[in-house]
Amino acid sequence: MHNDQPLKIAPQLSVSQWFNTDAPITLEQLRGKVVVIEAFQMLCPGCVSHGLPQALQIAGIFPIEKVAVLGLHTVFEHHDAMTPVSLKAFIHEYRLSFPIGVDQAGEANIPKTMAAYQLQGTPSLIIIDQMGQLRAIHFGQVNDIQIGAEIATLLAEK
Amino acid sequence: MHNDQPLKIAPQLSVSQWFNTDAPITLEQLRGKVVVIEAFQMLCPGCVSHGLPQALQIAGIFPIEKVAVLGLHTVFEHHDAMTPVSLKAFIHEYRLSFPIGVDQAGEANIPKTMAAYQLQGTPSLIIIDQMGQLRAIHFGQVNDIQIGAEIATLLAEK
Amino acid sequence: MHNDQPLKIAPQLSVSQWFNTDAPITLEQLRGKVVVIEAFQMLCPGCVSHGLPQALQIAGIFPIEKVAVLGLHTVFEHHDAMTPVSLKAFIHEYRLSFPIGVDQAGEANIPKTMAAYQLQGTPSLIIIDQMGQLRAIHFGQVNDIQIGAEIATLLAEK
Amino acid sequence: MHNDQPLKIAPQLSVSQWFNTDAPITLEQLRGKVVVIEAFQMLCPGCVSHGLPQALQIAGIFPIEKVAVLGLHTVFEHHDAMTPVSLKAFIHEYRLSFPIGVDQAGEANIPKTMAAYQLQGTPSLIIIDQMGQLRAIHFGQVNDIQIGAEIATLLAEK
C-alpha cells in the first residue's frame, strides 16, 4: 500500500503484553522518529526467513534515536499454538532484541491492531513517519534496498 | 559421530504422539530400509533453516521404499513453549510431510529417545542402516553432498 | 569512505570505451541526478556475486531520471585476461543493462579513474550527489538496506 | 541423461591445454576411480554460481584416491572472449584447484569433447564409473544430495 490519499495518523497499537521493554509503548511516545512495525506470527515461515531478519537489520543500521523498530505478534490462525508462552521462547531463540507487543484479541479471530490497519496477513511491514502518519504497509517479502530508501526518505522530511 | 566400534542396533524410539501417520512407527518395521531421523525442536533456528529443509529434500530424492525419513521432536528446553498443540501448527505451516514423533518426556528435561541416542542437541541427523544398526549421528549443519553420499552408501550394502 | 572533510567535486571519468550507450557519458551531464558507479573487474568473484547484482537492483528500483547507475571496468590485474572483447561477452552473459565504461590505462597497471578516486580494489561502489560531489566510496560488500538509505538521503537533498 | 541402454566406455578427452596438472590426463589413467567432469564456460553465469562451486565441493568431500574431479572448458560461444589467457586468470581468481582441460576446437564452433559427449550446453556434469563407462550427464543445476548419492552409488560398485 502506498497512500495517494491524504495522510492519516496511524491507528494506535492495542497490545495485551509487551516483551523486551520495561513499559508499554505508544505511537504517541515515538513522535519525531520514523517507526517501523514488523507484524508477524511466530509460525509463519516467511516471517522467520525474511520479515524478522529484515527488521533486525533495520534496527542495526539506523540509530535508535531516529528509527524505532517494533514487532507486533498478530496471531490470526492457530491461536492455541502461538501463545505468549511460546512467543517468549521464540523471541529468546531467534535473538529478537527490539520491543515486541502481542496484538490484543479481537473479533472473528483477527486481533485488534491487525484489524485497525487492515493487514492482509503476515509478514506485513508498517511504516509510520515522524508526524505519526501511516505511510506504507508492505505485505510479503520487501526488497532491502527499497525499504532502506523508504525509511531514509521519511528521515529526510522536515 | 562415525562408529569405529562394532555396530549396534539403534535404540528404539520412545514416542508419546505421532503426526503424519495413521499408526505408530517402530524401527523394527523399517528393517530393509535406510532410516534417516531428523531430531529437532520447532523453535530451534538451525532446525528451521537447515535441518528440516534437508530432511524434506532427502524424502523427496530417495524412493520411500528404500529410505524412510522420520522427524523426532526432542524438546529439551522451553517445554511449555513447544507442546504438541504448537508442533501440530508448526508441521502444518512448514509443510512437513514425513511422519513426526514427539519424543517421550524423560528425566532431567531430556526426553527418552534423545537420552538413548545421547544426542548433543538439535538439529541432529541420525542414520540407521538396512539391518537396523546405528551408523551415524550428525549434530549441527551437515553438507548436502556428504549426506547424499552416506545414504547411498548404506543403500548399496548387501 | 565517508567524508567529514569539505565536499569536493568527484573526479571526471577517464574512459577508453563505452558499452550500453550510444555516446560517451560525463559526470557533468548527470548533474541533478544521484550517480552510483560500480567499479568492478569481470574476473573478481565478489563483483560477480554481490557488487554487480546490487548495481542491477539499484538501477531497477530507482527511476532513471533520479539515479544514474554506471559500471566502470577498473582492471588493475590480469590485464590480458580482461580485455574489452572479453568484457563485451561478460556484459552480454550477465545481462548488465546499464552503461559501462572501460577505465583508461594508467601508470603502474592502475587505470586512470581508479587512481583519481584512490580506489582500494574491486568491487567499489562510488556515490556522487546531485551537485556532482563525491559522497561515499564503499570497498567490498555493502549492506542493501544501508545503500538504499544512502541513495535516498542524497535524493532528498535540496 | 540416465542410460537405460547398454553402458559404453566414455569418449576420450580432446584437450589442447591443461591447467593445474603437470602432465596431460586421460580417462584410461583414471580407471578404478569414479570420474566427475564439470564442463563449463568461464563466462557462463550458472557455471560460476552453481556448477563450479559444486565441483569444488565434490573434490573436497570425496578422497582423491576414489573420485577424480576434472574441469573441461567447453567454449561454444564468444570464443574470442574466453581464451586460455583469460581462463588462466579465471582459474586463479576463483581458486579452482582441480585439473582443468581446454576442450579442443572442433567443427561449427563446438569443441571436440563437447561434440563427442553430445552436451547440450554448460554447465554439464559428466559422471563416469570405475570401469570408464559413461553413467550420467546432467545439464544445468543439479541437486547436491542427488549428486552425492550418485557418486557414492558408483563408488560402491564391485
Side-chain angles (χ1 to χ4, degrees):
Chain A
M1 182 199 83
H2 287 275
N3 272 317
D4 290 325
Q5 300 108 19
L7 298 176
K8 293 183 187 167
I9 293 296
Q12 65 176 0
L13 307 179
S14 300
V15 167
S16 56
Q17 184 174 353
W18 284 97
F19 294 92
N20 291 339
T21 173
D22 291 330
I25 293 172
T26 67
L27 294 180
E28 285 74 16
Q29 295 166 354
L30 300 174
R31 291 287 188 277
K33 298 188 182 192
V34 172
V35 180
V36 175
I37 304 174
E38 176 72 24
F40 72 102
Q41 295 183 103
M42 59 174 281
L43 295 185
C44 149
C47 301
V48 169
S49 62
H50 296 106
L52 290 164
Q54 187 178 59
L56 276 172
Q57 275 202 72
I58 293 169
I61 285 171
F62 294 98
I64 201 168
E65 304 82 39
K66 296 192 173 174
V67 176
V69 176
L70 304 178
L72 185 67
H73 198 226
T74 52
V75 179
F76 62 94
E77 53 188 349
H78 309 301
H79 292 77
D80 292 347
M82 297 189 270
T83 62
V85 168
S86 290
L87 177 62
K88 185 180 178 183
F90 175 84
I91 291 169
H92 175 79
E93 288 301 314
Y94 281 87
R95 311 283 187 262
L96 302 179
S97 48
F98 44 76
I100 292 173
V102 177
D103 197 0
Q104 204 168 358
E107 291 175 20
N109 284 332
I110 307 296
K112 288 189 177 174
T113 316
M114 186 175 193
Y117 281 81
Q118 301 181 40
L119 302 183
Q120 294 175 260
T122 56
S124 286
L125 195 67
I126 299 168
I127 303 186
I128 297 169
D129 68 19
Q130 300 177 64
M131 308 285 285
Q133 301 170 130
L134 179 60
R135 296 297 286 267
I137 298 176
H138 296 286
F139 174 47
Q141 194 170 345
V142 197
N143 181 283
D144 282 338
I145 296 176
Q146 173 70 31
I147 212 68
E150 287 191 25
I151 294 169
T153 300
L154 296 187
L155 282 174
E157 289 182 343
K158 258 201 31 89
Chain B
M1 183 201 83
H2 286 275
N3 272 316
D4 289 326
Q5 300 108 20
L7 298 175
K8 291 184 186 167
I9 293 298
Q12 65 176 1
L13 306 178
S14 300
V15 166
S16 56
Q17 184 174 353
W18 282 98
F19 294 93
N20 291 337
T21 173
D22 292 330
I25 293 171
T26 66
L27 293 180
E28 286 74 17
Q29 294 165 353
L30 300 173
R31 292 286 188 277
K33 297 188 183 191
V34 172
V35 180
V36 175
I37 304 174
E38 176 71 25
F40 73 102
Q41 295 183 103
M42 58 173 281
L43 296 185
C44 149
C47 301
V48 169
S49 63
H50 295 106
L52 290 164
Q54 187 178 59
L56 275 173
Q57 274 202 71
I58 293 170
I61 285 170
F62 294 98
I64 200 168
E65 305 81 38
K66 296 191 173 176
V67 176
V69 175
L70 304 177
L72 185 67
H73 199 225
T74 53
V75 179
F76 63 94
E77 54 187 350
H78 309 301
H79 291 77
D80 292 347
M82 297 188 270
T83 61
V85 169
S86 290
L87 177 61
K88 185 180 179 183
F90 176 84
I91 291 170
H92 174 79
E93 289 300 314
Y94 280 87
R95 311 282 187 264
L96 302 180
S97 48
F98 44 77
I100 293 174
V102 176
D103 197 0
Q104 204 167 0
E107 292 174 19
N109 284 332
I110 307 297
K112 287 189 178 174
T113 316
M114 186 176 193
Y117 281 82
Q118 301 180 40
L119 301 183
Q120 294 175 259
T122 56
S124 286
L125 196 66
I126 299 168
I127 302 185
I128 297 170
D129 68 18
Q130 300 176 64
M131 308 285 286
Q133 300 170 130
L134 180 59
R135 295 298 284 269
I137 297 177
H138 296 287
F139 175 47
Q141 194 170 344
V142 198
N143 182 282
D144 282 338
I145 297 176
Q146 174 70 31
I147 212 67
E150 288 191 26
I151 294 170
T153 300
L154 297 188
L155 281 174
E157 288 181 345
K158 253 191 44 82
Chain C
M1 184 199 81
H2 287 275
N3 272 317
D4 290 325
Q5 300 108 20
L7 298 176
K8 292 184 187 167
I9 293 297
Q12 65 176 0
L13 305 179
S14 300
V15 167
S16 55
Q17 184 174 352
W18 283 97
F19 294 93
N20 291 338
T21 173
D22 293 329
I25 293 172
T26 67
L27 293 180
E28 284 76 15
Q29 294 166 354
L30 300 174
R31 292 286 188 277
K33 297 187 183 191
V34 172
V35 181
V36 175
I37 304 174
E38 177 71 26
F40 72 101
Q41 296 182 103
M42 58 174 281
L43 295 185
C44 149
C47 301
V48 169
S49 62
H50 296 106
L52 290 164
Q54 188 179 58
L56 276 172
Q57 275 202 72
I58 293 170
I61 285 170
F62 295 97
I64 201 169
E65 304 82 37
K66 296 192 173 175
V67 176
V69 175
L70 304 177
L72 184 68
H73 198 226
T74 53
V75 179
F76 62 94
E77 54 187 350
H78 309 301
H79 291 76
D80 292 347
M82 296 189 271
T83 62
V85 168
S86 290
L87 177 62
K88 184 180 178 182
F90 176 84
I91 290 170
H92 175 79
E93 288 301 313
Y94 280 87
R95 312 282 186 265
L96 302 179
S97 48
F98 45 76
I100 293 174
V102 176
D103 197 1
Q104 205 168 358
E107 291 174 19
N109 285 331
I110 307 297
K112 287 188 178 174
T113 317
M114 186 176 193
Y117 280 82
Q118 301 180 39
L119 303 183
Q120 294 175 260
T122 56
S124 285
L125 195 66
I126 299 167
I127 302 186
I128 296 169
D129 67 19
Q130 301 176 64
M131 309 284 286
Q133 301 171 129
L134 179 61
R135 296 296 285 267
I137 298 177
H138 296 286
F139 174 48
Q141 194 170 344
V142 198
N143 182 283
D144 281 338
I145 297 176
Q146 173 70 31
I147 212 68
E150 288 191 25
I151 295 170
T153 300
L154 297 187
L155 281 175
E157 289 181 344
K158 251 189 47 77
Chain D
M1 183 200 83
H2 286 276
N3 272 316
D4 290 326
Q5 299 108 20
L7 298 176
K8 292 183 186 167
I9 294 297
Q12 65 177 0
L13 306 179
S14 299
V15 167
S16 56
Q17 183 175 352
W18 283 97
F19 293 92
N20 291 338
T21 173
D22 292 329
I25 293 172
T26 67
L27 293 180
E28 286 75 16
Q29 294 165 353
L30 300 173
R31 291 286 188 279
K33 296 187 184 192
V34 172
V35 181
V36 175
I37 304 174
E38 176 71 26
F40 73 102
Q41 296 182 103
M42 58 174 282
L43 296 185
C44 148
C47 301
V48 168
S49 62
H50 296 105
L52 290 164
Q54 187 178 59
L56 275 173
Q57 275 203 72
I58 294 170
I61 285 170
F62 294 98
I64 201 168
E65 304 81 38
K66 296 192 172 174
V67 175
V69 175
L70 304 178
L72 184 67
H73 198 226
T74 53
V75 179
F76 63 94
E77 53 186 351
H78 308 301
H79 291 77
D80 292 347
M82 296 189 270
T83 61
V85 168
S86 290
L87 177 62
K88 184 180 178 183
F90 176 83
I91 291 170
H92 174 79
E93 288 301 314
Y94 280 87
R95 312 281 186 265
L96 303 180
S97 48
F98 44 77
I100 293 175
V102 176
D103 197 359
Q104 204 168 359
E107 292 175 18
N109 284 332
I110 307 298
K112 287 189 177 174
T113 315
M114 186 176 192
Y117 280 81
Q118 301 180 40
L119 301 184
Q120 294 174 260
T122 56
S124 285
L125 195 67
I126 300 167
I127 303 185
I128 297 169
D129 68 19
Q130 301 177 64
M131 309 285 286
Q133 300 171 130
L134 180 60
R135 296 298 284 269
I137 298 178
H138 296 286
F139 175 48
Q141 193 170 345
V142 198
N143 181 283
D144 281 338
I145 297 176
Q146 174 70 30
I147 213 67
E150 287 190 26
I151 295 169
T153 300
L154 296 188
L155 281 175
E157 289 181 345
K158 253 189 48 78

